[in-house]
């Protein structure tokens, strides 16, 4: 007997069907497929980037393209396309999906050679898988969450030792986010050897006596593209910056705190492990940096 599986009609609510990019093709999202043997799926053997879109333009695209090349290089993965081609795909997806404010997600995995094996497949015969899709986020810049500020819990950082590579191994950060939600908070900062590394999906900062303090770069944290831009802008605005480790106790005694990421820009933090910072509302430095960042990046968007 032959079985025929009829796929039930799925409801996507009011959300319109997106056009996504998979391995050279622009397709309706429900028609886009990759192999069940894809190493991104089986081994988390893949890297990603998230680039924001404001006014239909890409924010800091060059920074994301550069970090992508680095992530691929660190994992001996073939870089399947030039930055120009990548830019073209990003722009085409923004156009096809009419994105005004939102995000573009890009993932490149080591592909599939049709089986499961711990050893990498031969890059000569196995092409990487390239997937991109858009997320429309009206109100990304004028965010109510940023006006309120985020409440943070601290959790142990038990991730792998190469967090500077932007891999798709996001299970623990997802668990951290769920721990925060369960505690009635918005996000978690991770702690290793007594010091804050970073947030689940962002870099972490405190401000004390007008000095901005954030962990120095290394293998322990992702080298945030937003971090680089925000620190440059802070220095240009004559603000003092210290790149060094800090503890959660120091953070609780700080005047203010914030996080940075491509998906939330500069996000003020108002509470850490139940302790309100300053007045318990978004701080002056974080608010100012958010304004400066958004203004400058909008002007430089491509
Ligand atoms: N996350 N640290 C971690 C662990 C991150 O996952 C991210 C970004 C950052 C900030 O990097 P950037 O400024 O380049 O976005 C720091 C993205 C937004 C995400 O996973 O959705």
């Amino acid at each position: 007997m032959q079985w025929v599986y009829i796929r039930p009609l799925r409801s996507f609510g009011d959300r319109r069907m997106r056009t996504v990019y998979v391995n050279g093709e622009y397709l309706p999202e429900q028609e886009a497929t990759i192999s069940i043997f894809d190493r991104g799926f089986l081994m988390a053997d893949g890297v990603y980037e998230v680039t924001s879109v404001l006014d239909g333009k890409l924010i800091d695209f060059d920074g994301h393209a550069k970090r992508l090349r680095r992530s691929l290089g660190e994992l001996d993965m073939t870089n399947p396309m030039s930055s120009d081609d990548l830019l073209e795909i990003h722009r085409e997806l923004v156009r096809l999906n009419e994105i005004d404010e939102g995000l573009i997600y890009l993932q490149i995995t080591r592909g599939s050679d049709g089986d499961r094996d711990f050893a990498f497949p031969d890059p000569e015969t196995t092409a990487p898988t390239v997937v991109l899709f858009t997320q429309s986020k009206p109100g990304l810049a004028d965010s109510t969450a940023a006006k309120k500020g985020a409440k943070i819990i601290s959790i142990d950082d038990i991730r792998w030792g190469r967090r500077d590579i932007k891999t798709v191994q996001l299970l623990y950060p997802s668990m951290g986010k769920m721990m925060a939600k369960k505690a009635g908070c918005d996000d978690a900062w991770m702690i290793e050897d007594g010091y804050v590394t970073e947030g689940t999906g962002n870099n972490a900062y405190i401000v004390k006596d007008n000095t901005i303090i954030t962990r120095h770069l290394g293998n322990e944290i992702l080298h945030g593209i937003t971090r680089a831009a925000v620190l440059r802008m802070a220095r240009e605005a004559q603000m003092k910056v210290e790149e060094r480790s800090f503890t959660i106790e120091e953070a609780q005694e700080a005047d203010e705190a914030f996080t940075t990421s491509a998906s939330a820009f500069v996000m003020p933090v108002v509470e850490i492990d139940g302790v309100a910072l300053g007045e318990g509302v978004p701080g002056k430095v974080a608010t100012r940096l958010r304004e400066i960042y958004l203004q400058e990046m909008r002007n430089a968007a491509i």
Side-chain angles (χ1 to χ4, degrees), residues 111-138:
S112 150
D113 66 354
D115 207 346
R116 177 177 183 269
D117 193 340
F118 280 81
F120 295 168
D122 181 353
E124 294 294 323
T125 50
T126 301
T129 301
V130 183
V131 169
L132 286 95
F133 58 82
T134 54
Q135 293 181 293
S136 179
K137 305 254 179 201

Side-chain angles (χ1 to χ4, degrees), residues 179-224:
M179 289 182 233
K181 280 190 167 199
K182 215 170 163 184
C185 291
D186 303 292
D187 203 0
W189 281 8
M190 294 175 277
I191 316 255
E192 187 173 56
D193 300 331
Y195 293 98
V196 174
T197 51
E198 58 187 336
T200 57
N202 45 58
N203 291 116
Y205 306 72
I206 58 172
V207 182
K208 186 74 180 172
D209 299 330
N210 286 317
T211 298
I212 298 162
I213 301 157
T214 192
R215 194 180 175 107
H216 50 280
L217 296 178
N219 292 348
E220 302 77 24
I221 62 168
L222 186 73
H223 302 189

